[in-house]
Amino acid sequence: MKAISPVRSMASCYQASLSIARSSNHKGSEEPMGLLYDMNDCYSKLRELVPGIPQGSKLSQVEILQHVIDYIFDLQIVLGEEQEHNALLSLQVSSP
């Protein structure tokens, strides 16, 4: 089974959001349905990748984004604690 990098799999979603932002010939509700489906695919991918998002329940896009933000915040906390732990270990090893 091939592992998929979350960063790479979200790259296509990022490109889809950029194409929506850059398209100057589409206004308001005249956006093509293809772009709407692309963004819905991106939200579906986020639901798959971020742990803690309930898979069986219907969530709004804002709720999905809030789960993503919370997950990123939790990761920052864990990484910060890990860096502090590694700094303490290096001090203990270097002290006589």
Side-chain angles (χ1 to χ4, degrees), residues 3 13 59 88:
C13 293
L59 294 175
L88 287 174

Side-chain angles (χ1 to χ4, degrees), residues 41-92:
D41 288 342
C42 292
Y43 282 104
S44 295
K45 183 57 88 175
L46 284 172
R47 286 183 72 119
E48 293 173 16
L49 292 174
V50 176
I53 295 180
Q55 295 298 320
S57 64
K58 176 101 172 112
L59 294 175
S60 71
Q61 293 174 346
V62 172
E63 291 171 317
I64 292 171
L65 291 177
Q66 187 60 54
H67 278 283
V68 171
I69 291 167
D70 292 343
Y71 180 61
I72 291 170
F73 182 70
D74 291 342
L75 289 174
Q76 288 174 332
I77 291 171
V78 169
L79 288 173
E81 290 173 353
E82 187 174 305
Q83 288 174 350
E84 289 176 14
H85 179 72
N86 289 340
L88 287 174
L89 285 177
S90 66
L91 286 175
Q92 289 175 350

